[in-house]
Amino acid sequence: MTGRWALVPTEGGGAELAPLGSDGLPVGPVMREPDLVAAVRSRPDVTRWVWRSTAEVYPRLLAAGVRTERCYDIEDAETLLLGHEGRHGEPRSAAAALARLRGGPVPPDPPQRSAEPGAQSPLFEPQAVHVPLTDLAEVYAEQQRRHDRAEHPDRMRLLTAAESAGMLVAAEMNHAGLPWSAEVHREVLHELLGERYAGGGEPRRLAELAEEVSAAFGRRVRPDLPADVVKAFSQAGIKVASTRRWELESVDHPAVKPLVEYKKLYRIWVAHGWSWLQDWVRDGRFRPEFLAGGTVTGRWVTNGGGGLQIPKVIRRAVVADPGWRLVVADADQMEPRVLAAISRDPGLMEVAARETDLYQSVSDRAFSGDRAQAKLAVLGAVYGQTSGDGLKNLAALRRRFPKAVAYVDDAARAGEEGRLVRTWLGRTCPPAARTADATEEAGIPTPEDGPETQQWVPGYASTNARARGRFARNFVVQGSAADWTLLLLAALRRTCASMAAELVFFQHDEVIVHCPEEEAETIAEAIREAAHLAARLTFGDTPVRFPFTTAVVTCYADAK
């Protein structure tokens, strides 16, 4: 019996299924089962399920207590393959792929579904066009041939497999939810914001700060309206272009201190206040709906709830269950280590082979021990800082680590010229015509409010060649990091499968596992082993290490 089976949900909760041969096509008649869950449960020997969309099938299996070892997500693979072929943005649905294969009119993708507060992902996607199993298998078989035509076929196969594994991880995280204490959350809000007033108005502390701001200006000012604040400063003889924190703090005026405090607390009230708590936390869990590969760089996003922007003070509400612990692991200096692995720069690989402070090691070799300058130089190379001190720092970095700087320089040049740029495994940056749109959803980190970091980030609305180059420069590093983390999650998921532990949170370079106290040290070691395995699978034989700073805590806030 073949280990790969295709599966298509049918109306009424049933399924079509069939074993697939080495060519990806059915090797027997299509079977029709009245119960999808029972059909999967009765076939434990299947090593990989091939289906249209993980979001369509897996939540239902998880709700019934059925876990899948591996899957192949056809629509996710279609996204990656289209990008690799320079066709980013074309419809990615199975129906669209089938139409392209047969030379027919290609239907548009259905609109994205908005998240509903406190709700689980839907078991089915009613807007999706049904594709019969034999047609789905035809799409799958053609995708296997398209992998063979990729620039590096084996890497591309690894990427699509890893991305499908990420889809399983995301679904399981959505099912488990992040442990969340509503009681602690309310205590934090009361401590920060004071009492709530009837009618849904601003809480006491915000109202007090608003009064302080108005008193400082000598007239009524709405601190939640930037235009009103800018106008008030102008009337006071002070010109400010925005209400960003760094700009406000450069101003000498009695309104600045209460205004900065107001802005900080206002964000918490709006983004994680009492209404958010009521909408998004149910039965001691926060479920923001993680979406694997939600950006062109491969970084994850969440559909609603702001799950990847939990303020440090609100993390006090993330509390493990009694007798359980949170294993919180942060990858140390991930991007420069990835740059060492993909550039194969001997000097940078030597530095990254140690589980010590990479920036300090770089500074010892190229910046006379000045760690701050070394960090600016490395991040400038990745994010494209090419003016002022950044140019001088980049020149020093280029002298000591020429292959590393040349690697991102080449990517930037290709981006400027409108050529395709790929991660190590083959995830592809959109071509020039698409880059302006892609930058808005790329997942590139937004800088902290400060002028010293803004120049590192590509212009989100710019369409000029330089912006495309800066985007591509970052893409090859950040996208390759996303590829690596997918394989790390897959390895960690495999370890957790034999334990009570559950993956509950992931963002870019941080992962949280919720587990019984007695499993915590095992999980911490499993994370280190998964990082090593993922590095070997992703980048091959290099000395580069990917260490984690790991904390075993009861409360998420205690990990920092």
Side-chain angles (χ1 to χ4, degrees), residues 18-43:
L20 303 177
S22 58
D23 59 359
L25 297 173
V27 294
V30 175
M31 291 168 269
R32 291 170 175 80
E33 300 279 359
D35 188 301
L36 180 150
V37 173
V40 173
R41 183 179 279 136
S42 65
R43 292 171 173 83

PDB file of all heavy atoms in Angstrom, residues 18-43:
ATOM      1  N   ALA A  18      -8.205   8.213  -1.965  1.00  0.00           N
ATOM      2  CA  ALA A  18      -7.585   7.210  -2.813  1.00  0.00           C
ATOM      3  C   ALA A  18      -6.088   7.213  -2.592  1.00  0.00           C
ATOM      4  O   ALA A  18      -5.494   8.270  -2.353  1.00  0.00           O
ATOM      5  CB  ALA A  18      -7.898   7.482  -4.290  1.00  0.00           C
ATOM      6  N   PRO A  19      -5.448   6.043  -2.693  1.00  0.00           N
ATOM      7  CA  PRO A  19      -3.984   5.997  -2.624  1.00  0.00           C
ATOM      8  C   PRO A  19      -3.387   6.546  -3.911  1.00  0.00           C
ATOM      9  O   PRO A  19      -3.982   6.437  -4.994  1.00  0.00           O
ATOM     10  CB  PRO A  19      -3.690   4.502  -2.459  1.00  0.00           C
ATOM     11  CG  PRO A  19      -4.870   3.815  -3.077  1.00  0.00           C
ATOM     12  CD  PRO A  19      -6.048   4.704  -2.840  1.00  0.00           C
ATOM     13  N   LEU A  20      -2.207   7.152  -3.797  1.00  0.00           N
ATOM     14  CA  LEU A  20      -1.534   7.757  -4.934  1.00  0.00           C
ATOM     15  C   LEU A  20      -0.255   7.002  -5.260  1.00  0.00           C
ATOM     16  O   LEU A  20       0.463   6.540  -4.359  1.00  0.00           O
ATOM     17  CB  LEU A  20      -1.203   9.221  -4.650  1.00  0.00           C
ATOM     18  CG  LEU A  20      -2.376  10.136  -4.287  1.00  0.00           C
ATOM     19  CD1 LEU A  20      -1.864  11.536  -3.958  1.00  0.00           C
ATOM     20  CD2 LEU A  20      -3.401  10.186  -5.410  1.00  0.00           C
ATOM     21  N   GLY A  21       0.031   6.911  -6.546  1.00  0.00           N
ATOM     22  CA  GLY A  21       1.252   6.256  -6.975  1.00  0.00           C
ATOM     23  C   GLY A  21       2.428   7.207  -7.007  1.00  0.00           C
ATOM     24  O   GLY A  21       2.329   8.383  -6.624  1.00  0.00           O
ATOM     25  N   SER A  22       3.560   6.731  -7.488  1.00  0.00           N
ATOM     26  CA  SER A  22       4.775   7.546  -7.507  1.00  0.00           C
ATOM     27  C   SER A  22       4.644   8.746  -8.440  1.00  0.00           C
ATOM     28  O   SER A  22       5.367   9.734  -8.287  1.00  0.00           O
ATOM     29  CB  SER A  22       5.964   6.691  -7.952  1.00  0.00           C
ATOM     30  OG  SER A  22       5.727   6.126  -9.239  1.00  0.00           O
ATOM     31  N   ASP A  23       3.695   8.671  -9.403  1.00  0.00           N
ATOM     32  CA  ASP A  23       3.481   9.797 -10.302  1.00  0.00           C
ATOM     33  C   ASP A  23       2.480  10.801  -9.753  1.00  0.00           C
ATOM     34  O   ASP A  23       2.183  11.812 -10.398  1.00  0.00           O
ATOM     35  CB  ASP A  23       3.007   9.303 -11.673  1.00  0.00           C
ATOM     36  CG  ASP A  23       1.711   8.497 -11.598  1.00  0.00           C
ATOM     37  OD1 ASP A  23       1.189   8.295 -10.475  1.00  0.00           O
ATOM     38  OD2 ASP A  23       1.225   8.061 -12.663  1.00  0.00           O
ATOM     39  N   GLY A  24       1.944  10.537  -8.560  1.00  0.00           N
ATOM     40  CA  GLY A  24       0.994  11.442  -7.936  1.00  0.00           C
ATOM     41  C   GLY A  24      -0.448  11.202  -8.305  1.00  0.00           C
ATOM     42  O   GLY A  24      -1.340  11.889  -7.801  1.00  0.00           O
ATOM     43  N   LEU A  25      -0.732  10.232  -9.162  1.00  0.00           N
ATOM     44  CA  LEU A  25      -2.087   9.937  -9.597  1.00  0.00           C
ATOM     45  C   LEU A  25      -2.642   8.733  -8.832  1.00  0.00           C
ATOM     46  O   LEU A  25      -1.880   7.902  -8.314  1.00  0.00           O
ATOM     47  CB  LEU A  25      -2.107   9.659 -11.097  1.00  0.00           C
ATOM     48  CG  LEU A  25      -1.684  10.836 -11.983  1.00  0.00           C
ATOM     49  CD1 LEU A  25      -1.583  10.396 -13.452  1.00  0.00           C
ATOM     50  CD2 LEU A  25      -2.655  12.004 -11.838  1.00  0.00           C
ATOM     51  N   PRO A  26      -3.977   8.593  -8.739  1.00  0.00           N
ATOM     52  CA  PRO A  26      -4.574   7.465  -8.011  1.00  0.00           C
ATOM     53  C   PRO A  26      -4.155   6.130  -8.617  1.00  0.00           C
ATOM     54  O   PRO A  26      -4.054   5.987  -9.841  1.00  0.00           O
ATOM     55  CB  PRO A  26      -6.081   7.697  -8.176  1.00  0.00           C
ATOM     56  CG  PRO A  26      -6.221   9.166  -8.408  1.00  0.00           C
ATOM     57  CD  PRO A  26      -5.004   9.558  -9.196  1.00  0.00           C
ATOM     58  N   VAL A  27      -3.904   5.168  -7.763  1.00  0.00           N
ATOM     59  CA  VAL A  27      -3.530   3.822  -8.219  1.00  0.00           C
ATOM     60  C   VAL A  27      -4.687   2.848  -8.052  1.00  0.00           C
ATOM     61  O   VAL A  27      -4.512   1.645  -8.231  1.00  0.00           O
ATOM     62  CB  VAL A  27      -2.295   3.298  -7.453  1.00  0.00           C
ATOM     63  CG1 VAL A  27      -1.071   4.124  -7.795  1.00  0.00           C
ATOM     64  CG2 VAL A  27      -2.538   3.296  -5.956  1.00  0.00           C
ATOM     65  N   GLY A  28      -5.841   3.357  -7.721  1.00  0.00           N
ATOM     66  CA  GLY A  28      -7.020   2.520  -7.573  1.00  0.00           C
ATOM     67  C   GLY A  28      -8.264   3.375  -7.668  1.00  0.00           C
ATOM     68  O   GLY A  28      -8.195   4.594  -7.853  1.00  0.00           O
ATOM     69  N   PRO A  29      -9.419   2.766  -7.548  1.00  0.00           N
ATOM     70  CA  PRO A  29     -10.667   3.533  -7.625  1.00  0.00           C
ATOM     71  C   PRO A  29     -10.804   4.483  -6.441  1.00  0.00           C
ATOM     72  O   PRO A  29     -10.289   4.237  -5.349  1.00  0.00           O
ATOM     73  CB  PRO A  29     -11.749   2.453  -7.612  1.00  0.00           C
ATOM     74  CG  PRO A  29     -11.106   1.289  -6.930  1.00  0.00           C
ATOM     75  CD  PRO A  29      -9.672   1.327  -7.330  1.00  0.00           C
ATOM     76  N   VAL A  30     -11.525   5.585  -6.675  1.00  0.00           N
ATOM     77  CA  VAL A  30     -11.794   6.552  -5.621  1.00  0.00           C
ATOM     78  C   VAL A  30     -12.831   5.967  -4.667  1.00  0.00           C
ATOM     79  O   VAL A  30     -13.892   5.508  -5.092  1.00  0.00           O
ATOM     80  CB  VAL A  30     -12.305   7.879  -6.213  1.00  0.00           C
ATOM     81  CG1 VAL A  30     -12.691   8.846  -5.092  1.00  0.00           C
ATOM     82  CG2 VAL A  30     -11.244   8.496  -7.108  1.00  0.00           C
ATOM     83  N   MET A  31     -12.487   5.968  -3.382  1.00  0.00           N
ATOM     84  CA  MET A  31     -13.401   5.471  -2.357  1.00  0.00           C
ATOM     85  C   MET A  31     -14.201   6.627  -1.771  1.00  0.00           C
ATOM     86  O   MET A  31     -13.677   7.738  -1.637  1.00  0.00           O
ATOM     87  CB  MET A  31     -12.616   4.757  -1.249  1.00  0.00           C
ATOM     88  CG  MET A  31     -12.001   3.450  -1.687  1.00  0.00           C
ATOM     89  SD  MET A  31     -10.817   2.809  -0.475  1.00  0.00           S
ATOM     90  CE  MET A  31      -9.320   3.557  -1.072  1.00  0.00           C
ATOM     91  N   ARG A  32     -15.422   6.357  -1.426  1.00  0.00           N
ATOM     92  CA  ARG A  32     -16.281   7.375  -0.816  1.00  0.00           C
ATOM     93  C   ARG A  32     -16.712   6.899   0.560  1.00  0.00           C
ATOM     94  O   ARG A  32     -17.316   5.832   0.688  1.00  0.00           O
ATOM     95  CB  ARG A  32     -17.472   7.673  -1.723  1.00  0.00           C
ATOM     96  CG  ARG A  32     -17.055   8.397  -2.992  1.00  0.00           C
ATOM     97  CD  ARG A  32     -18.149   8.489  -4.022  1.00  0.00           C
ATOM     98  NE  ARG A  32     -17.700   9.295  -5.168  1.00  0.00           N
ATOM     99  CZ  ARG A  32     -16.928   8.828  -6.151  1.00  0.00           C
ATOM    100  NH1 ARG A  32     -16.514   7.562  -6.122  1.00  0.00           N
ATOM    101  NH2 ARG A  32     -16.562   9.615  -7.139  1.00  0.00           N
ATOM    102  N   GLU A  33     -16.361   7.685   1.566  1.00  0.00           N
ATOM    103  CA  GLU A  33     -16.652   7.339   2.952  1.00  0.00           C
ATOM    104  C   GLU A  33     -17.668   8.330   3.513  1.00  0.00           C
ATOM    105  O   GLU A  33     -17.605   9.532   3.222  1.00  0.00           O
ATOM    106  CB  GLU A  33     -15.371   7.391   3.785  1.00  0.00           C
ATOM    107  CG  GLU A  33     -14.273   6.451   3.333  1.00  0.00           C
ATOM    108  CD  GLU A  33     -14.483   5.041   3.829  1.00  0.00           C
ATOM    109  OE1 GLU A  33     -15.482   4.803   4.546  1.00  0.00           O
ATOM    110  OE2 GLU A  33     -13.659   4.165   3.505  1.00  0.00           O
ATOM    111  N   PRO A  34     -18.599   7.850   4.344  1.00  0.00           N
ATOM    112  CA  PRO A  34     -19.618   8.760   4.889  1.00  0.00           C
ATOM    113  C   PRO A  34     -19.098   9.691   5.979  1.00  0.00           C
ATOM    114  O   PRO A  34     -19.720  10.696   6.283  1.00  0.00           O
ATOM    115  CB  PRO A  34     -20.675   7.808   5.444  1.00  0.00           C
ATOM    116  CG  PRO A  34     -19.908   6.556   5.772  1.00  0.00           C
ATOM    117  CD  PRO A  34     -18.842   6.458   4.728  1.00  0.00           C
ATOM    118  N   ASP A  35     -17.936   9.326   6.591  1.00  0.00           N
ATOM    119  CA  ASP A  35     -17.410  10.117   7.703  1.00  0.00           C
ATOM    120  C   ASP A  35     -15.936  10.375   7.485  1.00  0.00           C
ATOM    121  O   ASP A  35     -15.118   9.444   7.504  1.00  0.00           O
ATOM    122  CB  ASP A  35     -17.633   9.384   9.027  1.00  0.00           C
ATOM    123  CG  ASP A  35     -17.285  10.237  10.234  1.00  0.00           C
ATOM    124  OD1 ASP A  35     -16.129  10.674  10.323  1.00  0.00           O
ATOM    125  OD2 ASP A  35     -18.165  10.469  11.081  1.00  0.00           O
ATOM    126  N   LEU A  36     -15.566  11.632   7.272  1.00  0.00           N
ATOM    127  CA  LEU A  36     -14.175  11.993   7.010  1.00  0.00           C
ATOM    128  C   LEU A  36     -13.272  11.595   8.165  1.00  0.00           C
ATOM    129  O   LEU A  36     -12.200  11.023   7.962  1.00  0.00           O
ATOM    130  CB  LEU A  36     -14.089  13.489   6.733  1.00  0.00           C
ATOM    131  CG  LEU A  36     -12.721  14.090   6.424  1.00  0.00           C
ATOM    132  CD1 LEU A  36     -12.860  15.286   5.494  1.00  0.00           C
ATOM    133  CD2 LEU A  36     -11.989  14.542   7.683  1.00  0.00           C
ATOM    134  N   VAL A  37     -13.693  11.903   9.389  1.00  0.00           N
ATOM    135  CA  VAL A  37     -12.857  11.611  10.550  1.00  0.00           C
ATOM    136  C   VAL A  37     -12.612  10.116  10.678  1.00  0.00           C
ATOM    137  O   VAL A  37     -11.477   9.666  10.893  1.00  0.00           O
ATOM    138  CB  VAL A  37     -13.505  12.169  11.832  1.00  0.00           C
ATOM    139  CG1 VAL A  37     -12.724  11.721  13.059  1.00  0.00           C
ATOM    140  CG2 VAL A  37     -13.582  13.688  11.778  1.00  0.00           C
ATOM    141  N   ALA A  38     -13.666   9.327  10.537  1.00  0.00           N
ATOM    142  CA  ALA A  38     -13.516   7.875  10.637  1.00  0.00           C
ATOM    143  C   ALA A  38     -12.623   7.344   9.527  1.00  0.00           C
ATOM    144  O   ALA A  38     -11.837   6.409   9.736  1.00  0.00           O
ATOM    145  CB  ALA A  38     -14.893   7.204  10.577  1.00  0.00           C
ATOM    146  N   ALA A  39     -12.711   7.940   8.335  1.00  0.00           N
ATOM    147  CA  ALA A  39     -11.889   7.490   7.214  1.00  0.00           C
ATOM    148  C   ALA A  39     -10.413   7.697   7.497  1.00  0.00           C
ATOM    149  O   ALA A  39      -9.577   6.838   7.211  1.00  0.00           O
ATOM    150  CB  ALA A  39     -12.300   8.234   5.948  1.00  0.00           C
ATOM    151  N   VAL A  40     -10.071   8.853   8.064  1.00  0.00           N
ATOM    152  CA  VAL A  40      -8.671   9.123   8.392  1.00  0.00           C
ATOM    153  C   VAL A  40      -8.213   8.260   9.566  1.00  0.00           C
ATOM    154  O   VAL A  40      -7.113   7.687   9.551  1.00  0.00           O
ATOM    155  CB  VAL A  40      -8.476  10.624   8.703  1.00  0.00           C
ATOM    156  CG1 VAL A  40      -7.072  10.900   9.216  1.00  0.00           C
ATOM    157  CG2 VAL A  40      -8.774  11.461   7.468  1.00  0.00           C
ATOM    158  N   ARG A  41      -9.050   8.156  10.583  1.00  0.00           N
ATOM    159  CA  ARG A  41      -8.686   7.393  11.779  1.00  0.00           C
ATOM    160  C   ARG A  41      -8.452   5.920  11.459  1.00  0.00           C
ATOM    161  O   ARG A  41      -7.600   5.266  12.076  1.00  0.00           O
ATOM    162  CB  ARG A  41      -9.789   7.544  12.831  1.00  0.00           C
ATOM    163  CG  ARG A  41      -9.472   6.851  14.146  1.00  0.00           C
ATOM    164  CD  ARG A  41     -10.593   7.071  15.142  1.00  0.00           C
ATOM    165  NE  ARG A  41     -10.510   8.359  15.810  1.00  0.00           N
ATOM    166  CZ  ARG A  41     -11.534   9.165  16.026  1.00  0.00           C
ATOM    167  NH1 ARG A  41     -12.737   8.846  15.573  1.00  0.00           N
ATOM    168  NH2 ARG A  41     -11.366  10.309  16.668  1.00  0.00           N
ATOM    169  N   SER A  42      -9.159   5.392  10.488  1.00  0.00           N
ATOM    170  CA  SER A  42      -9.044   3.974  10.167  1.00  0.00           C
ATOM    171  C   SER A  42      -7.848   3.659   9.284  1.00  0.00           C
ATOM    172  O   SER A  42      -7.629   2.496   8.935  1.00  0.00           O
ATOM    173  CB  SER A  42     -10.323   3.494   9.471  1.00  0.00           C
ATOM    174  OG  SER A  42     -10.479   4.130   8.206  1.00  0.00           O
ATOM    175  N   ARG A  43      -7.079   4.680   8.927  1.00  0.00           N
ATOM    176  CA  ARG A  43      -5.913   4.467   8.048  1.00  0.00           C
ATOM    177  C   ARG A  43      -4.655   5.051   8.693  1.00  0.00           C
ATOM    178  O   ARG A  43      -4.038   5.995   8.186  1.00  0.00           O
ATOM    179  CB  ARG A  43      -6.159   5.081   6.676  1.00  0.00           C
ATOM    180  CG  ARG A  43      -7.259   4.347   5.900  1.00  0.00           C
ATOM    181  CD  ARG A  43      -7.656   5.068   4.629  1.00  0.00           C
ATOM    182  NE  ARG A  43      -8.572   4.283   3.839  1.00  0.00           N
ATOM    183  CZ  ARG A  43      -9.888   4.234   4.050  1.00  0.00           C
ATOM    184  NH1 ARG A  43     -10.431   4.940   5.041  1.00  0.00           N
ATOM    185  NH2 ARG A  43     -10.668   3.478   3.280  1.00  0.00           N
TER     186      ARG A  43
END
